[in-house]
Amino acid sequence: INRRYVEKASANLDKNAEGKVYVADAKTFISPYKYALIYSMESSLGYLPDKETMQIFKNIKENLLSNNGTLVLHLNNKDFLLQNLVPRMWFGDQNTGYLLEERSLNALDGTLRLDQIRIINGIEKHYAIDLRLYSLQEIKYLLEQAGLTLTNVYGDYDHSAYTSTSPYMIVEAKNI
């Protein structure tokens, strides 16, 4: 977790509102409050094994989400990504730095391997990332095993229908 983001989020809290920014492991975090809405942005869950993702969902259900509260997951649409996978891409520019990314899919475990070379301020660094891609049925199963109920799925934040051509899978689950 980038501490600068936490500091910035804390500094930007409305001065008239009560609030706190927490830095914690989602598998074990217990708050004195229950939340009506929890939002997991981008593909943060894909970086963990399924067992740890299940721990997160169970902790959210048992300790963080209020009764009838909503969990929103913003995930990559596995089908869309498979149809549009570009095996090698360059990102960036002279001001921000460059990233060369090679991508390959492991069909046996549903992960996307990202081998990256990042060049920032003339310094080259190498990274390897495995990102778990979930189908709708897989994420539904994990949510149900944790005691959460999938209530809606969309292809974007405009509530468009979720299809194989949607770039994202926006999942809403309830603590019923």
Side-chain angles (χ1 to χ4, degrees), residues 109-134:
D109 66 6
T111 57
L112 177 66
R113 175 69 175 210
L114 305 172
D115 289 307
Q116 299 179 340
I117 300 172
R118 299 179 191 177
I119 304 169
I120 301 172
N121 297 325
I123 300 171
E124 182 177 307
K125 293 185 180 180
H126 295 253
Y127 298 89
I129 301 165
D130 291 313
L131 178 62
R132 173 74 158 92
L133 302 174
Y134 291 100

Side-chain angles (χ1 to χ4, degrees), residues 37-61:
L37 174 69
I38 296 175
Y39 171 62
S40 176
M41 60 187 270
E42 301 298 327
S43 299
S44 56
L45 296 174
Y47 296 100
L48 303 171
D50 288 348
K51 183 177 180 180
E52 291 183 44
T53 298
M54 178 65 72
Q55 288 175 317
I56 289 172
F57 288 163
K58 285 182 178 180
N59 190 52
I60 287 171
K61 158 83 172 146

Side-chain angles (χ1 to χ4, degrees), residues 81-99:
L81 197 57
L82 293 176
Q83 293 170 24
N84 297 283
L85 184 66
V86 177
R88 181 179 287 172
M89 290 196 65
W90 275 102
F91 301 91
D93 59 37
Q94 186 174 345
N95 295 326
T96 62
Y98 297 95
L99 178 129

